[in-house]
Amino acid sequence: MFDPSAYGRAVADVYDGVYGTTIPDTESAVNRLAELADGGPVLEFGVGTGRLALPLTARGLVVAGVDGSAEMVRRLRAKPGGDRVPVTLGDFATTRVEGEFGLVVLAINTIFALPSQEAQVACFRNAAAHLRPGGRFVVEAWVPDPGAFRDGTALRLLSLSEERVLVEAARLSAADQMMYTTKVNLTSDGLRLLPANHRYAWPAELDLMGLLAGLEREHRWAGWDGSPYTDDSRSHVSVYRSSPGRP
């Protein structure tokens, strides 16, 4: 059974240190989201430790979050301004928050943390239910690349410095659209294994999920800077919009 709190329990204490070295261009993401919010308010699914929510709040936007992990939310609360972001604990595929929002955000591949196509469809519907007419749902995700695997496995270096070596081992199950990964985080404090599973989906499949939720794709970029999405793009930022005349 899917446990939305499991990932946070495993990584919360090292999340900022590990993923701070591998997540590119947070400033561009915040700039783009502030523009798309059109005054807000903003709801972030998988708000985590506040990488996006805190700088958006600092810009004067009202931001709320949903997250499955009490441990991750405690990290958010401990940061300056963390008490200004109300967070509802729960599965962001189904958990409802009071109010209507100008923008719902699901960043850094978190859509793939949901374990099935059904759960991902439910997430799109949940996002749509939170949007005011004309509001937007933004999904950031990598583009599946089965060709990067040899005999169904892959090993890649994510980060290398004098303080940290971060490597990811992955196994692909193409029939189920599942990728099983463990990041190996090696520092002077020792070795830490960080497992995570991904039910991946191609961009066209996400577009169909949007249509099923009553959302139409407004933009697709290769990144937060608005660069064109092409055959060579290995990630995408997709913006889905509800109808301005939606009742």
Side-chain angles (χ1 to χ4, degrees), residues 33-47:
L33 291 170
E35 176 186 319
L36 292 170
D38 194 24
V42 177
L43 176 63
E44 185 178 2
F45 288 169
V47 66

Side-chain angles (χ1 to χ4, degrees), residues 32-33 36 103-104 124 135-140 207 215-221 224 236-242:
R32 181 68 64 179
L33 291 170
L36 292 170
L103 183 71
V104 177
F124 269 78
R136 295 177 171 100
F137 178 38
V138 182
V139 177
E140 178 191 16
D207 290 349
L215 304 173
E216 292 189 5
R217 194 182 86 209
E218 183 180 36
H219 302 289
R220 171 161 291 136
W221 302 300
W224 292 107
H236 65 96
V237 174
S238 297
V239 181
Y240 301 92
R241 194 166 191 180
S242 65

